[in-house]
């Protein structure tokens, strides 16, 4: 591997000092380049370029070019081009062009063109043309023309005219005229343009255009136009026009000389016309004065800025004149006509959304109409501006402006485009606007133990092609990166989904390394065939990881007791010191005690390779043999290290009580306090067995601990799981939190009272000293489970209630909530923006109040729009879960329908499932509509997810099956084992009026059928006995797959149990056995290596696909070949049993003797030490089955039940089974609203909230019951 920093000169060989460059490159590059290049290139480029070039190019190019060009180009091009071009060209072109052209042209073009053109043209052409043309024209023409001109013009003109015209006119005129007109109509243009340019050319054309320009040319045309201009020319034409001008003369006096040719009227027609021939009929016309330009989405603090478009009739009409105006041109739908706000001239009415086509009237006798025009933001990046057009049609019952005259004019409006092609990013659920430039780069902070950073990204305009957003930067620093919940860094945005926000989640692994605070920066880079987007980079998103791994050393027992007698120490004690993280240098802990009669370990050494916890042994003698009394001492620690994090680290002192006592062992000490994964309690471990104070399994927490009510909750409970382990279950209001070594308080440690706890030996007199232990964070903390209940769509007059109550995973504490909202559409008017702002304000108010429900009125949502509502729930352990619900606001009334519960529901195959609907008739209070029928009809459909597509769910959910399960149309009741394990289903219920179903709405629910854990089992109990030399079978055939997906695979292993409790591999003893069957048959013989009077641990692992489960039993090999056999034939040890009154569990067993000469004289059941024999529901020696009274068991306990059989010569053997009990959920609330009501009228709501349980007991299920009256039983 390379060194972190380069040497001044490269080494000649991999291992010798530097004198010349290495002959072969290293496998991985150094983080920084060497001062001089190697003779051969490395396989991968360095992070930074070397000052000088290599003699041959690298296999993979460096993403950025060198700061300065090489003195000469490399001999051969790279296999792939660099993302940005070098300042000098290679002698031969690369196989693919660069993404962006060179900032400056090369001194000479490449000898040959590239195989594919660049997305943007270079400033100089190649000597030979490329095989395919560039998407856009070059800034300068090629030195030689193409072989033949294009037979037809391009669809759109260039922003500036070409020096020479094309053979045929363009379909749309250029925004600016050419400096000079074409010489003749046919050379070079074959025909004039279809419509005039918005502004006249500086010189007139040789022949008139078909349609006059809005303003006259500076000089008259040589020939008159077929139709006069709306305004006269400053100078007369050389020949009179066929018809007089429609406007008043501009000269105050007549011309000094008559025109060279008099005006000669045509002779009258032989037949009179039917239309009037009044002077107004001849003069009737109109002009349109359009604003020179409009700006897209010109919103200011007072509204939408509009410009005036004026239509002027040449003569007034005797009847009203109807004007129809239509926007057109490129993205013409963005042009809008508005009603101007009379109280705020120059701005549109806030209530007017505008229209692309309007009809207006000019009253009789008037000649002018002024309209307000504006441009919506079309979200298309068209460049600096885009030409729009407005077409005006006239019609009237006054014949001079009658429809038959075909009055129509089109004017051009230049719309300034404000859209840009950028990537907008933001922090998830942020209340600030997204950012698009590095000037407003984002920074998010998170502690390392929960370092999850969530950002959103979206495009700012509609792309012309798909855009792939790639995450770049410090991506390797993250444990995982997911997009919208799916693993993967990159996402392709299709044009149809350009406005949709994508949510990126970046997670940093929580390590135990002291790295300090650190920043990781990432950004998005767009890749697209759309040149507007290709190569666009988003602002930096900086993830600031706050280091929460602190250098500290924990002391497992902070109060020791050692014994001293007249002859010296009588018993010793000790404790463990554990470092919080691996050091980078040796850490030496020196121990000292002022009492010279206390003897202890003097020095501990922790190294980077061995920083496991170290034990400190302590004992003492009497200070004065003639003074037979106890005393106290203090042991101190001093830490030295070259690692600055650990050097001079403070370590807790240890109090030592030296006792003159008859006891032979010290009293128990607190060894470890750790949060349960569910956050709902603590596991408290002592270093040795205790007397459990009074021998009872359940104990008042306040008897053992200080601050019990405050830390564990007023109704918190404590119970022993064995004599050296205690389980604390929190009640409501618990305040203890995982220990923070930066800010330690009394709320993040458990404080044991002194003088109450002894060891388990008879006659013990010494009690534990008062001490504390830090509450460690859980090993695998739970995440909140939350869902939003909301309708999929609501009618025009309906509000919506978003309900996120009923969450679990709070670990006995209230969750904190944050609401958010995402939309995939733009606010088009002030009213839209005001609505969105008001809705965001409501969400912020809900956050401030800690609300779990959100009640929105019918006018809080805009019609025809979809809203994504999100809520993030965080528990006190730092775990966060975010869920969303999409609500569509319809533009018309519709029936109300939604599924009860979450939109996505989880289950397993063996569960029953009921999907129930809440249904309501349409709300018509905000409309004038009526309904003809109040009868609703229902239509149910179901699909199964196949890959990424929803497909037919047959046979399990065929149409016939769905019809059977929805016989009651407001629910779908699925029997057990109906759905496939591991599959995902979508159910949709459509509700409408039964007669037509034309007015309807739908609700959708997703059901995820999870794969259940396999169950491994070995019959006969967790402890069994076999005889040496006897054929033995261990039966694992009761193992099963709850999903019944197929046969299981079996694998057996064996290990010898050593005296210290450790295991030693014994699999060679099973060499002659088939370890892949459900039943393991073997014969333990001494010849085969088996040892008698020895215990072995056998483990069965069952698997199916990716799922597996294991189960182990201890088997004792007896030297008595004919010992009696005690066998448990029926009992499920994998089940948790509920401690329920008047309920019994049955254990079936048998007792046999392999020696016909021996008989079974006795069977006897017993309960583990310290556990009540009252658990047995029958006499100890009763025949099979033995009954266990579950009503006498304790919650969350494990009982060991031993069956011992004795034969006629007194030989015995035994087997042990374990029985595990379940504990009820705790710390929750049950609320009823209202408390009183009227039968058949009042709707009552029952809410269970905040309940916590062990992690493996989720999800929780609820059963409700009721009592008919005082003294009546509870009825489910």
């Amino acid at each position: 591997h390379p060194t972190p920093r380069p040497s001044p000169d490269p080494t000649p060989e991999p291992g010798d000092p530097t004198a010349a460059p290495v002959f072969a490159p290293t496998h991985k590059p150094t983080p920084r380049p060497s001062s001089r290049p190697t003779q051969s290139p490395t396989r991968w480029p360095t992070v930074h370029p070397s000052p000088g070039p290599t003699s041959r190019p690298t296999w993979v190019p460096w993403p950025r070019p060198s700061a300065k060009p090489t003195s000469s180009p490399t001999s051969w091009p790279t296999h792939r081009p660099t993302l940005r071009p070098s300042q000098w060209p290679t002698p031969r072109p690369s196989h693919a062009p660069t993404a962006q052209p060179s900032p400056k042209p090369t001194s000479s073009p490449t000898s040959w063109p590239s195989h594919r053109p660049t997305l943007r043209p270079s400033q100089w052409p190649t000597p030979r043309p490329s095989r395919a043309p560039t998407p856009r024209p070059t800034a300068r023409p090629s030195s030689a023309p193409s072989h033949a001109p294009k037979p037809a013009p391009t669809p759109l003109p260039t922003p500036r005219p070409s020096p020479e015209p094309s053979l045929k006119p363009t379909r749309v005129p250029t925004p600016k005229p050419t400096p000079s007109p074409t010489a003749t109509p046919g050379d070079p243009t074959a025909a004039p343009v279809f419509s005039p340019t918005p502004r006249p050319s500086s010189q007139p054309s040789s022949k008139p255009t078909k349609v006059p320009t809005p303003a006259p040319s500076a000089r008259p045309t040589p020939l008159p136009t077929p139709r006069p201009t709306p305004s006269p020319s400053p100078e007369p034409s050389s020949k009179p026009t066929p018809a007089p001008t429609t406007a008043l003369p501009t000269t105050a006096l007549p011309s000094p000389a008559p025109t060279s040719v008099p005006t000669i009227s045509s002779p009258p027609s032989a037949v009179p016309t039917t239309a009037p021939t009044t002077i107004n009929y001849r003069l009737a016309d109109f002009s349109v004065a359009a604003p020179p330009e409009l700006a897209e989405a010109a919103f200011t603090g007072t509204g939408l800025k509009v410009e005036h478009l004026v239509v002027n009739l040449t003569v007034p009409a005797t009847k009203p004149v109807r004007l129809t105006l239509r926007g057109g041109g490129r993205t013409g739908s963005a042009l809008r006509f508005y009603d101007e706000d009379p109280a705020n001239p120059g701005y549109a009415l806030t209530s007017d959304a505008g229209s692309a086509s309007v009809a207006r009237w000019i009253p009789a006798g008037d000649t002018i109409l002024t309209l307000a025009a504006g441009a919506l933001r079309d979200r298309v990046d068209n460049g600096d501006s885009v030409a729009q057009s407005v077409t005006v049609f006239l019609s009237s019952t006054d014949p001079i402006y009658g429809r038959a005259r075909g009055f129509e004019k089109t004017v051009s409006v230049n719309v300034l485009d404000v859209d840009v092609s950028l990537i907008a990013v933001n922090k998830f659920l942020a209340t600030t606007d997204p950012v698009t430039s590095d000037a407003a780069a984002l920074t998010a902070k998170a502690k390392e133990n929960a370092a999850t950073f969530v950002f959103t990204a979206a495009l700012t305009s509609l792309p012309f092609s798909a855009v792939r957003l790639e995450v770049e930067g410090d991506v390797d620093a993250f444990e995982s990166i997911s997009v919208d919940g799916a693993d993967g860094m990159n996402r392709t945005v299709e044009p149809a989904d350009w406005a949709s926000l994508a949510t990126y989640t970046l997670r940093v692994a929580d390590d135990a390394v002291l790295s300090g605070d650190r920043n990781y920066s990432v950004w998005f880079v767009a890749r697209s065939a759309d040149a507007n987007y290709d190569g666009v980079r988003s602002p930096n998103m900086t993830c600031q990881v706050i280091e929460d791994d602190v250098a500290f050393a924990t002391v497992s027992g902070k109060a020791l007791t050692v014994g001293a007698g007249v002859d010296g120490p009588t018993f010793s004690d000790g404790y463990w010191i554990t470092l919080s993280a691996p050091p980078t240098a040796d850490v030496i802990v020196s121990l000292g005690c002022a009492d010279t009669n206390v003897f202890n370990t003097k020095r501990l050494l922790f190294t980077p390779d061995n920083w496991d916890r170290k034990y400190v042994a302590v004992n003492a003698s009497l200070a004065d043999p003639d003074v037979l009394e106890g005393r106290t001492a203090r042991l101190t620690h001093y830490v030295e290290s070259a690692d600055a994090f650990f050097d001079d680290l403070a370590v807790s002192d240890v109090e030592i009580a030296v006792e003159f006592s008859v006891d032979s062992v010290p009293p128990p000490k607190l060894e470890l306090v750790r949060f349960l994964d569910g956050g709902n309690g603590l596991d408290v471990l002592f270093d040795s067995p205790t007397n459990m104070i009074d021998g009872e399994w359940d104990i008042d927490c306040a008897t053992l601990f200080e601050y019990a009510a405050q830390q564990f909750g007023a109704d918190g409970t404590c119970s022993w799981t064995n004599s050296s382990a205690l389980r604390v279950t929190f009640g409501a209001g618990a305040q203890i939190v995982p220990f923070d070594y930066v800010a330690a308080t009394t709320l993040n440690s458990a404080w044991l009272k002194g003088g109450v706890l002894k060891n388990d030996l008879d006659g013990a007199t010494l009690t534990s000293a008062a001490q504390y232990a830090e509450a460690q964070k859980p090993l695998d903390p739970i995440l909140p489970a939350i869902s939003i209940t909301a309708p999929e769509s609501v009618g025009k007059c309906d509000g919506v209630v978003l309900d996120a109550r009923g969450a679990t995973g709070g670990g006995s504490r209230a969750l904190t909530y944050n609401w958010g909202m995402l939309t995939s559409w733009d606010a088009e008017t002030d009213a839209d923006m005001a609505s969105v702002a008001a809705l965001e304000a409501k969400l912020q108010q809900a956050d401030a109040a800690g609300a779990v429900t959100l009640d929105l009125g019918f006018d809080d949502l805009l019609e025809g729009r979809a809203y994504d509502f999100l809520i993030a729930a965080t528990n006190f352990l730092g775990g966060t879960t975010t869920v969303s619900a999409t609500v569509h606001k319809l533009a018309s009334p519709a029936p109300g329908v939604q599924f009860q519960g979450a939109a996505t529901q989880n289950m397993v195959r063996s569960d029953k499932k009921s999907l129930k609907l809440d249904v309501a008739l349409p709300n018509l209070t905000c409309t004038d509509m009526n309904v003809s029928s109040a009868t609703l009809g229902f239509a149910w459909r179901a699909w199964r997810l196949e890959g990424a597509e929803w497909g037919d769910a047959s046979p399990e959910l065929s149409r016939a099956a769905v019809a059977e399960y929805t016989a009651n149309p407001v629910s779908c009741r699925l029997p057990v084992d109906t759905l496939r394990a591991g599959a995902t289903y979508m159910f949709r219920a459509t509700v409408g009026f039964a007669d037509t179903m034309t007015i309807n709405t739908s609700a959708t629910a997703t059901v995820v059928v999870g794969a259940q854990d396999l169950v491994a089992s070995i019959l006969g109990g967790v402890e069994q006995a076999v005889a040496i030399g006897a054929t033995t079978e261990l039966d694992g055939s009761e193992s099963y797959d709850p999903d019944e997906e197929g046969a299981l695979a079996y694998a057996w292993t064996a290990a010898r149990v050593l005296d210290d409790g450790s295991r030693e591999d014994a699999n060679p003893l099973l060499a002659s056995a088939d370890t892949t069957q459900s039943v393991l048959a073997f014969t333990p013989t001494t010849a085969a290596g088996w040892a008698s009077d020895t215990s072995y641990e056998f483990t069965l692992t069952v698997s199916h696909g990716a799922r597996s489960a294991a189960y182990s039993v201890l088997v004792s090999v007896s030297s008595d070949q004919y010992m009696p056999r005690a066998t448990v034939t029926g009992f499920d040890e994998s089940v948790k049993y509920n401690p329920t009154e008047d309920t019994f569990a049955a254990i079936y067993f048998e007792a046999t003797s392999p020696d016909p000469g021996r008989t079974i004289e006795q069977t006897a059941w017993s309960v583990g030490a310290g556990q009540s024999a009252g658990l047995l529901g029958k006499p100890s020696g009763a025949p099979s089955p033995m009954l266990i009274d579950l009503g006498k068991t304790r919650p969350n306990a494990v009982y060991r039940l031993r069956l011992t059989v004795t034969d006629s010569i007194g030989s015995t053997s035994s087997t042990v089974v374990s029985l595990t009990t379940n504990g009820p959920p705790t710390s929750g609330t049950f609320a009823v609203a209202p408390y009183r009501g009227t039968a058949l009228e009042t709707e009552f709501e029952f809410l269970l909230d905040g309940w916590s349980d062990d992690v493996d007991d989720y999800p929780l299920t609820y059963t409700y019951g009721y009592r008919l009256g005082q003294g009546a039983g509870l009825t489910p």
Side-chain angles (χ1 to χ4, degrees), residues 945-970:
L945 188 63
E946 302 289 350
E949 302 292 335
W950 292 103
D952 182 42
S954 297
E956 65 267 25
L957 290 177
S958 63
R959 288 183 179 269
V962 171
E964 177 185 350
Y965 300 148
T966 59
N968 178 354
V970 296

Side-chain angles (χ1 to χ4, degrees), residues 368 402 568 588 598 646 665 733 765 890 958 983 1013 1058 1063 1183 1237 1262:
I368 295 178
I588 299 173
V598 172
F646 286 96
V665 295
T765 61
L890 305 178
S958 63
D1013 293 335
L1058 303 180
R1063 270 45 172 181
Y1262 303 91

Side-chain angles (χ1 to χ4, degrees), residues 372-658:
L376 287 181
R377 191 171 183 180
D378 60 6
R379 289 296 190 177
V380 178
D381 185 358
N382 295 306
D384 294 336
S385 63
V386 60
Q388 303 278 50
S389 63
V390 177
T391 303
V392 184
F393 306 89
L394 299 187
S395 64
S396 176
T397 55
D398 186 336
I400 69 172
Y401 290 110
R403 181 185 297 272
R405 300 199 65 182
F407 282 112
E408 174 185 335
K409 289 187 187 296
T410 299
V411 294
S412 181
V413 180
N414 203 37
V415 177
L416 301 180
D417 194 358
V418 299
D419 291 310
V420 291
S421 299
L422 297 173
I423 305 170
V425 296
N426 207 351
K427 289 186 284 190
F428 185 62
L429 296 183
T431 57
T432 55
D433 293 332
V435 298
T436 56
S437 68
D438 277 333
L442 299 174
T443 299
K445 298 181 180 180
K447 289 187 176 181
E448 187 183 70
N449 69 341
T452 298
F453 303 89
V454 186
F455 297 95
T456 59
L459 305 183
T460 59
S461 64
L462 171 67
F464 299 107
S465 300
V467 178
R468 181 175 174 81
L469 294 182
E470 298 180 353
V471 183
E472 295 189 0
D474 300 324
V475 294
D476 293 337
F478 298 94
E479 181 182 31
S480 65
I481 299 178
S482 60
V483 186
D484 293 334
D487 290 339
M489 296 189 299
N490 305 320
R491 168 181 178 252
T492 299
V493 182
E494 298 295 336
D497 300 324
W498 72 271
S500 299
L501 280 174
T503 302
Y504 290 78
T505 303
L506 299 88
R507 293 182 175 85
V508 175
D510 184 13
D511 56 27
V513 180
L514 299 172
S515 307
D517 295 350
R518 53 205 184 273
N519 293 340
Y520 300 126
S521 292
V522 293
W523 56 86
F524 299 106
V525 175
R527 309 294 180 197
S528 176
D530 183 346
N532 288 335
Y533 269 108
D534 190 51
V536 170
R537 172 175 161 165
S538 76
N540 276 10
M541 295 163 287
T542 300
C543 304
Q544 190 173 91
V545 180
I546 307 302
E547 180 64 82
D548 56 5
D549 293 318
V550 182
F552 60 86
T554 56
V555 175
S556 64
K558 300 175 181 63
L560 307 182
T561 302
V562 295
V566 293
D567 296 326
T570 57
F571 61 84
S572 62
D573 205 348
Y575 59 94
W576 295 90
I577 292 182
T578 306
L579 298 187
S580 62
T584 58
D586 289 353
V587 177
I588 299 173
V589 181
S590 301
L591 299 90
C593 183
D595 190 332
T596 58
N597 290 296
V598 172
F599 313 106
N600 58 273
T601 305
K602 300 298 183 182
R603 184 176 181 271
L604 301 175
L605 174 62
F606 298 87
T607 69
D609 296 328
N610 181 11
W611 57 286
D612 295 339
R613 66 177 187 167
K614 303 292 188 292
Y615 187 74
V616 177
V618 180
N619 55 39
S621 62
L622 294 175
D624 185 346
D626 298 326
V627 180
L628 305 179
E629 62 182 21
R631 67 185 190 278
T632 60
R634 174 172 293 181
L635 194 59
T636 60
H637 308 84
Y638 176 69
V639 181
E640 296 177 278
S641 177
D643 186 335
F645 284 106
F646 286 96
D647 188 44
D648 202 23
L649 185 70
V651 179
S652 300
D653 292 343
V654 174
E655 300 295 329
I656 302 172
V658 182

Side-chain angles (χ1 to χ4, degrees), residues 7-20:
S7 55
D9 292 302
T11 58
E13 292 184 4
D16 294 337
T18 60

Side-chain angles (χ1 to χ4, degrees), residues 1183-1228:
S1184 179
M1186 173 52 68
L1187 301 180
I1188 307 300
D1189 189 345
L1190 298 177
K1192 295 181 180 178
T1193 60
R1194 295 175 296 102
N1196 296 317
V1198 177
Y1199 295 90
R1200 299 180 70 81
L1201 307 167
R1202 180 180 296 273
L1203 169 63
T1204 302
V1205 297
T1206 305
D1207 64 14
S1208 55
I1209 67 169
S1211 180
T1212 64
S1213 71
S1214 62
T1215 188
V1216 176
V1217 297
S1218 65
L1219 182 148
T1220 304
T1221 58
N1222 192 18
T1226 60
S1227 312

